[in-house]
C-alpha cells in the first residue's frame, strides 16, 4: 500500500520533471494590470508543446485557480486569458515585480506545469495627500524669511516611475517650495518663507501644493495650504483726526462733555486695544480743568473755566495696552 503510494508520487514527480524539460523550464508571461477580460495573456497550449486540439482533449486547465488568479485557460484554444479584473496594487501592493505562480494541469497522462504570470504596473493611481487641506499659523514679521515648514508628502499606490513624485507650489510672493530628498524614493516637500508676512496686508494665504507622478500621462493630486498670519504688535494706534478743536462757553458746567477723541489700531486682539491719556498741558493748569476717560476717549470738564485763560492746549495720547507704542494728538 505504502509502496504503491510512493510509486504514484514518484511517477508524478517524474512526469513533472519531464514537463519542465519539455517546456524548457517555467513558462513566463506578463500582462498589464487592468487588461480587459478576454485579453490573451499567452498561447499556453502551444508554449507547453501541445498539438492543436490536445488542450481540449487532455483538459488543459488551471489547478484550483485561486480567488485572485483572474485568468483562465480557454478550453477551445488553450490560450491563457484574462477572466476578471487584475489590479496589481491589490495583488502585490508596493512589492515589485508582481509575479503570480499558476499551476496548470494536463490529463492523460497527468502533468503539472508551473506558469509564472507577471502583472505589470500601469499608471492607474494618482498621488494622494494625507489630507486635502493643511492649516498653518505663522507670525507676521517675527518669522524670518528662510524659515521652513515641513509638509507631509503625497503617496502613490503605483510603483516605479508611476509612483515617482514631483511637487509644485502655486505662485506666491511670500513662499517657495524646497524638496528634501530623504532617500532614493522619498521626497519631502518643505514650505520656505521668502518674504516676511504682514497680517494687516494679507491675513490669510491660500496656496495649492500639487504632486505629479512620473507616468505618461502624469496624474496629479493636490493639497490646499491655508496659512493664517498671526498678529504681532507692529502698528501704533491712529487718531481719526490729527487735531481736535472745540469751543466752550465760559459758563460751561463742571462735568460737561468737551469732546470725544478716537484712535484705532489695525492690529488684532489685545494688540488693538487702545487707552487714552492727556499729556503736555499748556498752560500746566489745564491739568485741573479737563480729564479724559482712558477707555472711551471722552474728555470732560473737571473745573469751572477760568475767565483769564483763553485756551488750553492738551496733548492726547493713545496708548496700546502693551504700552509699547503711542500716538499723540
Ligand atoms: C482649517 O481651517 C479652516 C478655516 O479656519 C477650518 O474650517 C478647517 O476645519 C481647518 N482644518 C483643519 C484640519 O484644522
Ligand atoms: C472710533 O472709530 C472707529 C472707526 O471709525 C469706530 O468703529 C468706533 O466706533 C469709534 N469709537 C468711538 C468711541 O467713537
Ligand atoms: C473722530 O471720532 C470722534 C469720536 O468718535 C467723532 O466724534 C468724530 O466725528 C470723528 N472724526 C472724524 C473726522 O471722523
Amino acid at each position: 500500500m505504502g509502496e504503491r503510494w510512493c510509486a504514484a508520487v514518484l511517477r508524478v514527480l517524474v512526469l513533472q520533471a519531464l514537463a519542465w524539460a519539455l517546456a524548457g523550464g517555467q513558462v513566463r508571461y506578463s500582462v498589464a494590470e487592468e487588461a480587459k477580460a478576454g485579453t490573451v495573456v499567452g498561447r499556453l497550449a502551444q508554449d507547453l508543446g501541445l498539438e492543436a486540439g490536445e488542450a481540449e482533449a487532455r483538459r488543459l486547465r488551471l489547478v484550483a485557480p485561486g480567488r485572485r488568479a483572474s485568468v483562465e485557460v480557454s478550453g477551445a484554444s488553450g490560450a491563457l486569458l484574462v477572466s476578471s479584473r487584475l489590479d496589481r496594487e491589490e495583488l502585490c501592493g508596493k512589492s515589485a515585480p508582481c509575479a503570480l505562480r499558476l499551476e496548470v494541469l494536463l490529463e492523460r497522462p497527468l502533468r503539472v506545469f508551473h506558469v509564472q504570470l507577471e502583472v505589470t504596473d500601469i499608471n492607474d493611481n494618482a498621488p494622494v495627500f494625507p489630507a486635502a487641506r493643511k492649516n498653518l499659523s505663522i507670525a507676521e514679521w517675527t518669522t524670518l524669511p528662510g524659515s521652513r515648514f515641513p509638509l507631509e508628502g503625497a503617496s502613490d499606490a503605483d510603483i516605479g516611475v508611476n509612483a515617482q513624485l514631483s511637487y509644485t507650489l502655486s505662485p506666491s510672493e511670500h513662499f517657495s517650495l524646497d524638496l528634501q530628498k530623504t532617500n532614493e524614493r522619498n521626497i519631502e516637500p518643505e514650505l520656505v518663507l521668502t518674504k516676511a508676512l504682514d497680517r494687516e496686508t494679507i491675513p490669510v494665504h491660500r496656496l495649492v501644493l500639487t504632486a505629479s507622478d512620473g507616468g505618461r500621462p502624469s496624474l496629479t493630486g493636490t493639497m490646499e495650504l491655508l496659512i493664517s498670519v498671526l498678529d504681532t504688535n507692529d502698528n501704533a494706534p491712529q487718531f481719526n483726526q490729527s487735531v481736535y478743536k472745540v469751543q466752550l462757553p465760559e459758563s460751561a458746567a463742571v462735568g460737561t462733555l468737551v469732546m470725544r477723541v478716537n484712535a484705532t489700531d489695525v492690529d488684532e486682539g489685545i494688540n488693538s486695544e487702545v487707552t487714552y491719556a492727556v499729556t503736555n498741558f499748556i498752560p500746566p493748569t489745564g491739568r485741573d480743568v479737563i480729564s479724559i476717560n482712558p477707555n472711551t476717549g471722552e474728555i470732560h470738564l473737571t473745573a469751572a473755566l477760568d475767565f483769564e485763560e483763553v485756551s488750553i492746549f492738551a496733548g492726547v495720547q493713545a496708548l496700546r495696552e502693551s504700552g509699547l507704542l503711542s500716538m499723540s494728538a
Side-chain angles (χ1 to χ4, degrees):
M1 184 75 166
E3 262 174 46
R4 270 182 65 192
W5 185 80
C6 266
V9 169
L10 203 63
R11 193 162 152 262
V12 168
L13 287 176
V14 168
L15 285 172
Q16 257 185 331
L18 196 66
W20 270 75
L22 281 175
Q26 210 170 34
V27 174
R28 293 165 196 266
Y29 295 125
S30 89
V31 63
E33 61 171 327
E34 309 291 349
K36 281 203 197 92
T39 300
V40 176
V41 176
R43 296 193 293 180
L44 185 60
Q46 202 170 332
D47 293 338
L48 294 177
L50 302 181
E51 304 289 334
E54 218 184 333
E56 195 156 30
R58 295 181 59 190
R59 297 195 56 220
L60 179 68
R61 64 184 189 276
L62 291 180
V63 180
R67 172 181 61 85
R68 310 198 309 171
S70 305
V71 287
E72 64 189 7
V73 175
S74 150
S77 68
L80 191 63
L81 307 176
V82 172
S83 60
S84 62
R85 182 169 180 241
L86 274 169
D87 181 17
R88 197 208 59 80
E89 288 73 41
E90 195 181 295
L91 293 167
C92 298
K94 274 285 182 189
S95 59
C98 181
L100 307 182
R101 273 175 64 90
L102 307 174
E103 290 203 331
V104 180
L105 198 71
L106 200 57
E107 289 181 0
R108 287 171 277 144
L110 184 68
R111 280 186 187 176
V112 179
F113 300 89
H114 292 284
V115 173
Q116 186 176 308
L117 177 61
E118 188 188 338
V119 181
T120 57
D121 189 44
I122 66 165
N123 194 19
D124 59 338
N125 289 280
V128 177
F129 281 96
R133 178 191 261 184
K134 183 177 172 71
N135 291 351
L136 283 166
S137 298
I138 303 177
E140 59 172 336
W141 299 115
T142 54
T143 308
L144 300 176
S147 301
R148 304 171 87 88
F149 305 89
L151 303 171
E152 274 181 276
S155 59
D156 190 305
D158 292 320
I159 53 166
V161 76
N162 291 337
Q164 217 159 61
L165 303 184
S166 57
Y167 295 90
T168 52
L169 187 69
S170 54
S172 164
E173 201 189 323
H174 295 270
F175 294 96
S176 70
L177 195 64
D178 190 46
L179 302 176
Q180 294 289 318
K181 201 166 184 177
T182 55
N183 59 44
E184 269 315 301
R185 283 191 208 159
N186 203 24
I187 287 176
E188 278 179 5
E190 277 188 355
L191 197 62
V192 182
L193 186 69
T194 52
K195 184 179 167 193
L197 302 172
D198 181 31
R199 192 199 65 84
E200 289 72 38
T201 315
I202 307 174
V204 176
H205 295 254
R206 285 171 196 277
L207 301 175
V208 177
L209 180 64
T210 303
S212 312
D213 66 28
R216 282 170 193 273
S218 165
L219 297 175
T220 58
T222 59
M223 173 164 72
E224 190 189 6
L225 301 174
L226 201 71
I227 299 154
S228 306
V229 183
L230 300 179
D231 189 47
T232 56
N233 196 9
D234 60 328
N235 289 280
Q238 298 283 335
F239 280 103
N240 66 341
Q241 293 172 221
S242 54
V243 178
Y244 296 87
K245 282 185 189 170
V246 69
Q247 283 190 320
L248 290 177
E250 258 189 275
S251 58
V254 170
T256 300
L257 175 63
V258 177
M259 70 170 86
R260 188 183 217 174
V261 297
N262 185 3
T264 51
D265 188 305
V266 293
D267 287 326
E268 207 175 27
I270 195 159
N271 292 337
S272 70
E273 284 173 20
V274 170
T275 56
Y276 302 91
V278 184
T279 56
N280 311 328
F281 286 93
I282 301 169
T285 49
R287 185 177 299 281
D288 307 323
V289 180
I290 58 170
S291 77
I292 193 163
N293 180 317
N295 300 316
T296 63
E298 286 173 348
I299 295 174
H300 287 92
L301 218 53
T302 52
L305 288 173
D306 189 328
F307 180 76
E308 312 257 294
E309 286 174 0
V310 179
S311 55
I312 295 172
F313 299 93
V316 183
Q317 219 174 21
L319 301 160
R320 192 91 59 89
E321 269 301 304
S322 67
L324 288 177
L325 295 163
S326 66
M327 277 298 295
S328 297

